[in-house]
Amino acid sequence: MSNDTPQQANIGVVGLAVMGANLARNLAGREGNTVAVFNRSPERTRTLLDEHPEAGFVASEELDAFVASLRKPRTAIIMVQAGKGTDAVIEQLAERFEEGDIIVDGGNANFQDTRRREKDLRDRGLNFVGAGISGGEEGALNGPSIMPGGSKEAYETLGPILETIAAEVDGEPCVTHVGTDGAGHFVKMIHNGIEYADMQLIGESYDLLRRVAGHDVEAIADVFAAWNEGDLQSYLIEITGEVLRQRDAATGEPLIDVIQDHAGSKGTGVWTVQNAVGLGVPVGGIAEAVFARAVSSKPEQREAVRGVMRSRPDAAAVGESFEDDVRAALYASKVVAYAQGFDAIIAGAEEYDWDIDHAQIARIWRGGCIIRAKFLNRIAEAFERDTRPVTLLEDPYFAKVIQDGEAAWRRVVVVAAQSGVPAPGFSSALAYYDSLASERLPAALTQGLRDFFGAHTYRRTDKDGTFHTLWSGDRTEVEMG
């Protein structure tokens, strides 16, 4: 390990756990890159060098030597645990970096933390970039989808480097400058929220095919493989078939049957819902996916309820067309989840003054990332039209998807309810669609009740202004302004 080769590397990576090591290897394998690496524990650095001598890493055991090995403007990507660990590394680099140098956080940081960090470092003359990186360990190594924020000036240096390692679709690298300060991590957060919803809908489809249609696991794997040949083609649909085909070596049973049904969560789905609520954006599909994971992880409550049940409904009788119905419901609900996610991106851009190209976001999600899917091309096309849709559900292509699948969607929700099979993703997506499609909603009654107990006022349908009824008095109406 050398510490006497200053200013050789055009990019550095700090943090060499699996994601950081794979990203460093990806960078080193691209023409024009020389990669400096540093890890707090030198043993991890030595292991990386021993296992991958072909990478030609410029490795350092001390942070000062790592900084000295970077060409100006120095550019370093941090791949360490989010939170205090990230703050500590940022401060250590900031103390050593000079004006115009670039610090990149490639972890799943909260975008509000990224906004704070960016402002702090900007005030110190440094560039800070929060970059969402999607694709997991495989993507980091072979080509992720990358969502960097930060200043345009920082992207002039960083962008060409990231383009060398990003996934490519139709010759286009799956990376774009998302917007200033925390925009990159915000969009990555929404990406992960959509990912939650997508997986929940896939899980509900599997559950219905197994518990209602009576398919065995191998047959369901075949169904997903067939779906992946059509409009539902996506990474998650593809790997669903692979997971379902896997057999447990110890028991010979399908692996899915020996995995505990308690789903974990790393927080980005929760952040999506929390921030969407703050922005006034309904993301029920994502929220239900978050809640479904929470319910799955309450074994004591689940056992308690099962202990007092007298009976459960029998599975409803369904015909051979049920598979097609589930496919249609999955597609329609998936469209709703993506529509809600893009609504949140639009609202976030307005709130934080980000100039986000929504079509370009759809395009960079086509490769490398977990939610990559065939129909992202259609989303990009929708946002590229002269008249952008108020919601993706208004776009002609997606409106037809809903129209063609609506009857099947409703049948699936009914069958799920009759059979006692939870389908919160399908149900909430349909309720969202019906809410948008309704000429009148019961929110009028909600406003009346709010005015009754809290004098919150209401608006009328027949004239301008806000009004209040004197409920505790003579119940006359007064105009409030």
Side-chain angles (χ1 to χ4, degrees):
M1 192 178 302
S2 175
N3 288 331
D4 57 359
T5 50
Q7 298 186 352
Q8 285 190 334
N10 65 315
I11 184 72
V13 177
V14 178
L16 300 177
V18 176
M19 282 290 290
N22 281 2
L23 191 70
R25 289 173 57 197
N26 190 350
L27 285 161
R30 311 295 174 157
E31 186 176 352
N33 290 335
T34 301
V35 184
V37 292
F38 173 79
N39 194 80
R40 184 178 60 177
S41 302
E43 293 78 11
R44 185 162 277 172
T45 308
R46 294 177 190 137
T47 299
L48 181 63
L49 294 180
D50 290 343
E51 293 178 350
H52 300 284
E54 77 285 351
F57 292 123
V58 179
S60 302
E61 292 195 2
E62 300 294 336
L63 192 58
D64 286 337
F66 169 79
V67 171
S69 72
L70 296 170
R71 295 200 300 264
K72 296 182 181 180
R74 300 177 183 89
T75 305
I77 302 177
I78 299 171
M79 299 295 291
V80 300
Q81 187 174 5
K84 293 181 179 179
T86 299
D87 276 323
V89 175
I90 289 171
E91 183 56 32
Q92 289 166 3
L93 288 174
E95 291 172 352
R96 293 164 172 84
F97 274 20
E98 298 174 350
E99 185 172 351
D101 289 348
I102 305 166
I103 299 174
V104 184
D105 177 12
N108 268 339
N110 187 307
F111 81 97
Q112 294 287 17
D113 288 338
T114 303
R115 297 186 74 220
R116 168 181 58 79
R117 291 162 178 158
E118 194 277 337
K119 181 181 183 304
D120 176 60
L121 293 186
R122 180 170 15 106
D123 291 343
R124 298 163 69 175
L126 300 175
N127 289 297
F128 183 73
V129 174
I133 300 176
S134 178
E137 297 172 10
E138 179 184 351
L141 180 61
N142 298 317
S145 175
I146 312 176
M147 295 149 263
S151 68
K152 290 182 179 179
E153 292 76 17
Y155 193 75
E156 289 177 3
T157 298
L158 183 64
I161 299 173
L162 297 181
E163 288 175 5
T164 68
I165 65 168
E168 285 192 6
V169 176
D170 297 334
E172 299 178 9
C174 293
V175 58
T176 190
H177 181 228
V178 176
T180 55
D181 54 66
H185 276 146
F186 182 90
V187 168
K188 176 57 163 57
M189 175 189 73
I190 300 299
H191 164 284
N192 286 18
I194 295 172
E195 179 185 309
Y196 272 58
D198 211 340
M199 286 192 286
Q200 175 65 25
L201 295 168
I202 288 171
E204 292 176 17
S205 300
Y206 153 79
D207 207 22
L208 288 164
L209 291 175
R210 191 166 189 186
R211 295 170 61 183
V212 178
H215 291 357
D216 62 29
V217 175
E218 191 69 26
I220 300 172
D222 291 340
V223 170
F224 276 94
W227 286 352
N228 198 48
E229 298 297 319
D231 290 335
L232 280 171
Q233 183 185 63
S234 69
Y235 174 70
L236 285 171
I237 294 290
E238 175 189 348
I239 67 171
T240 296
E242 294 188 26
V243 171
L244 292 176
R245 291 192 200 284
Q246 183 68 24
R247 291 275 170 173
D248 175 49
T251 64
E253 297 298 317
L255 179 64
I256 191 72
D257 288 342
V258 299
I259 297 176
Q260 286 192 0
D261 61 340
H262 306 164
S265 171
K266 289 190 175 181
T268 45
V270 175
W271 293 347
T272 300
V273 176
Q274 290 172 333
N275 282 281
V277 169
L279 293 167
V281 179
V283 291
I286 298 170
E288 289 296 345
V290 172
F291 298 152
R293 293 193 188 191
V295 170
S296 78
S297 300
K298 300 292 182 184
E300 296 87 359
Q301 293 181 357
R302 293 169 62 189
E303 184 178 357
V305 170
R306 289 195 303 273
V308 298
M309 289 188 311
R310 294 183 178 179
S311 65
R312 293 289 291 152
D314 293 329
V318 295
E320 293 181 1
S321 63
F322 188 63
E323 279 182 22
D324 292 333
D325 281 358
V326 174
R327 184 203 62 79
L330 174 58
Y331 197 13
S333 299
K334 184 183 178 88
V335 168
V336 168
Y338 279 73
Q340 291 177 346
F342 273 92
D343 287 348
I345 291 174
I346 291 167
E350 292 176 354
E351 175 71 16
Y352 300 108
D353 196 26
W354 295 324
D355 184 17
I356 296 178
D357 185 333
H358 307 105
Q360 189 62 11
I361 296 302
R363 291 196 181 283
I364 69 170
W365 285 353
R366 294 178 301 162
C369 73
I370 302 302
I371 64 170
R372 57 186 183 267
K374 179 179 179 180
F375 85 143
L376 281 160
N377 280 314
R378 298 289 190 175
I379 294 178
E381 291 168 3
F383 284 117
E384 285 174 337
R385 294 193 178 98
D386 291 338
T387 304
R388 292 185 178 182
V390 176
T391 168
L392 282 175
L393 304 185
E394 174 195 21
D395 178 77
Y397 174 82
F398 294 113
K400 189 173 188 305
V401 168
I402 300 296
Q403 180 182 352
D404 291 347
E406 183 178 352
W409 194 7
R410 295 187 188 283
R411 287 194 295 269
V412 167
V413 170
V414 169
V415 165
Q418 290 175 334
S419 304
V421 176
F426 286 153
S427 301
S428 69
L430 182 58
Y432 175 79
Y433 174 73
D434 283 337
S435 294
L436 292 182
S438 296
E439 186 173 347
R440 279 288 275 181
L441 292 170
L445 178 57
T446 301
Q447 281 302 96
L449 294 172
R450 293 179 73 236
D451 189 60
F452 188 105
F453 67 70
H456 291 290
T457 74
Y458 52 85
R459 292 182 178 274
R460 295 177 58 96
T461 61
D462 54 356
K463 54 185 174 180
D464 295 334
T466 57
F467 299 87
H468 167 59
T469 292
L470 302 175
W471 298 103
S472 59
D474 60 6
R475 301 205 171 183
T476 58
E477 182 181 76
V478 295
E479 185 170 3
M480 305 299 290

